[in-house]
Amino acid sequence: MPSEPKAVVGSEPKATVPAESEASGGRDVVGAVLKACTLLGHFSADRPTWMLNDLTVASGMNKTTVFRLMATLVQAGWVDRTEEGAYRVAMPVFEIGSAALAKLDIRSAAKPFMTELATAFGNTAYLMVPAEQGAVCIDLLEGRNSLVVAGINVGSVMPYHAAAGPTVMLAHSDALRDKWIARGLSAITDRTITDVGVLVEHLDEIREVGYSVSNSDYLPGVAAVAAPVLGRDGSVVASISVGGRAEEFEGDALAAKIEKVCDAGARITRIVQALPRG
């Protein structure tokens, strides 16, 4: 029987990067361009058009600044004005997006969101995909905290009934659920769910709320939060998660991680669903 994976806590924190290098980019960053990109970032499939006043409120910028930046984007051909005076993104934005999507896969699509999660919380971000034998970790990004999870690496195959990333995929796939439960549920730790009825109830709850939270059911002292990534047909194609010390996944800290992981899962889902077929 394989030995139980262990969580190893390092003795020294990792070196930090100066804030200027991480955030501002120094004098190389053009503020007006950055603000214009921020304004474009408010346009989405859920909100394809914006009136000036609404965009001003949403961006938190000065109204005159928003007006001038949007007028510049209109002049450049990146934004159009509707008959009602609303702004909407123009065809060049879609052409650039299509070119980017043509070379994109799920790993590269998820990487910016993994970086954002690891930076925001200092925990390790994981990307997993479903496979016949279990959930496969295809990418991970360590945060600044000193927890090293020795049992989870790129290529690791994990049981579906333990840990947040695997269980959130199991919860969103009836086919996976039927096959996996039929195999029997082995205990990885003393907190692993091994009762079929309890697991089914747990998976139903995960599916209803849209995310999974685990605590010491795969690695003692390690907790995680995961959200699903769904394909065009609603099938689960991956999960994105963050994991770390269990004490860092409580109260307000846990709520913040749930919100941000769910947002990442939803945004990656939109990207994946826009990828070209084939």
Side-chain angles (χ1 to χ4, degrees), residues 103-266:
K103 297 296 182 181
L104 201 62
D105 60 18
I106 193 166
R107 185 184 284 105
S108 54
K111 180 66 77 173
F113 302 98
M114 296 175 66
T115 301
E116 187 176 337
L117 290 170
T119 301
F121 302 118
N123 301 127
T124 302
Y126 299 93
L127 181 67
M128 300 181 188
V129 296
E132 182 70 21
Q133 298 302 316
V136 181
C137 178
I138 62 170
D139 203 2
L140 64 81
L141 186 63
E142 293 182 3
R144 63 185 176 275
N145 293 348
S146 57
L147 179 69
V148 179
V149 181
I152 306 176
N153 301 294
V154 173
S156 294
V157 181
M158 302 170 61
Y160 280 117
H161 64 289
T167 56
V168 83
M169 289 192 287
L170 191 64
H172 285 80
S173 172
D174 292 335
L176 278 179
R177 188 188 300 204
D178 292 342
K179 289 180 180 179
W180 191 260
I181 291 176
R183 300 182 181 199
L185 307 174
S186 59
I188 298 100
T189 74
D190 60 3
R191 299 191 66 171
T192 306
I193 298 176
T194 58
D195 181 276
V196 171
V198 174
L199 180 62
V200 168
E201 184 177 347
H202 179 55
L203 294 175
D204 289 343
E205 291 175 355
I206 291 172
R207 193 164 186 164
E208 181 177 353
V209 299
Y211 62 86
S212 177
V213 177
S214 64
N215 188 337
S216 302
D217 62 344
Y218 183 70
L219 295 170
V222 175
V225 173
V229 177
L230 305 177
R232 284 191 183 95
D233 60 356
S235 63
V236 63
V237 297
S239 69
I240 185 166
S241 60
V242 288
R245 304 170 190 269
E247 59 267 27
E248 296 174 355
F249 286 71
E250 300 174 351
D252 292 341
L254 175 60
K257 289 170 184 176
I258 290 172
E259 180 179 4
K260 206 163 187 66
V261 169
C262 287
D263 179 66

Side-chain angles (χ1 to χ4, degrees), residues 72-88:
T72 302
L73 290 171
V74 170
Q75 182 66 28
W78 290 70
V79 173
D80 289 331
R81 297 294 296 273
T82 68
E83 293 182 358
E84 295 78 18
Y87 298 103
R88 65 184 177 192

